[in-house]
Amino acid sequence: MIVYSFIFLLVVTEMFAQNEKSTGTITGIVVHSTSQEPIIGANIFIIGTKIGTTTNQEGKFSIKNIPVGTYQVRVSNIGYSSFVKTDVVVSVAKPAEITVLLEESELKLETTEVTANYFSKNSDTPISTQAQSNEEIGRAHV
């Protein structure tokens, strides 16, 4: 009986160890395609998951605890074209490292029309009035 308990304990321990070891990391850097300057605050998402992060002050990022597998990683930032890196292999052995060069893109906004009018008085606006007699004015010492 003790032997069976010991074997069961070993099997359960091995299962938990495999679950902990079956994740990896994606690290990388995001830079401007022509100036090679780091892009701060770029969004990095693993397509098909809810896993993502942003770049730091140096344009670097790290996403940990990703299940082992092959992924597509989308990188985007306002003012730049989005970029999708395919075939990013996450393994336990070493972090998957990627370098992303983002190209600037134009922001196209819809036309906004602004018209100026003179201030108009709303006829429904109440006006405050107060009547005072000569005696009241005299007592006010104004």
Side-chain angles (χ1 to χ4, degrees):
M1 183 70 170
I2 294 175
V3 174
Y4 291 118
S5 297
F6 182 71
I7 292 173
F8 177 74
L9 183 62
L10 284 177
V11 170
V12 171
T13 304
E14 182 63 26
M15 285 174 41
F16 282 117
Q18 286 179 357
N19 286 339
E20 289 177 11
K21 295 179 184 178
S22 61
T23 62
T25 303
I26 298 176
T27 61
I29 186 167
V30 180
V31 296
H32 188 279
S33 62
T34 54
S35 69
Q36 301 298 309
E37 291 288 322
I39 297 178
I40 301 167
N43 299 305
I44 297 92
F45 290 104
I46 300 173
I47 296 174
T49 71
K50 294 182 180 181
I51 302 171
T53 191
T54 59
T55 57
N56 64 13
Q57 298 291 331
E58 299 167 345
K60 296 180 181 180
F61 68 91
S62 178
I63 306 173
K64 298 178 181 178
N65 299 322
I66 305 167
V68 171
T70 303
Y71 297 95
Q72 294 178 335
V73 178
R74 177 184 302 277
V75 181
S76 62
N77 199 21
I78 295 176
Y80 293 88
S81 298
S82 292
F83 178 81
V84 176
K85 176 76 172 173
T86 59
D87 300 325
V88 177
V89 178
V90 175
S91 67
V92 177
K94 76 175 211 176
E97 295 181 16
I98 60 174
T99 300
V100 178
L101 305 172
L102 288 185
E103 295 180 8
E104 285 187 52
S105 67
E106 294 180 11
L107 279 175
K108 296 186 180 189
L109 303 175
E110 293 182 23
T111 304
T112 303
E113 184 176 324
V114 178
T115 55
N117 292 330
Y118 290 107
F119 292 104
S120 61
K121 183 177 180 181
N122 187 353
S123 61
D124 293 337
T125 305
I127 298 174
S128 175
T129 58
Q130 183 176 8
Q132 293 183 337
S133 68
N134 288 339
E135 289 179 10
E136 291 173 329
I137 294 173
R139 280 187 266 154
H141 301 288
V142 180

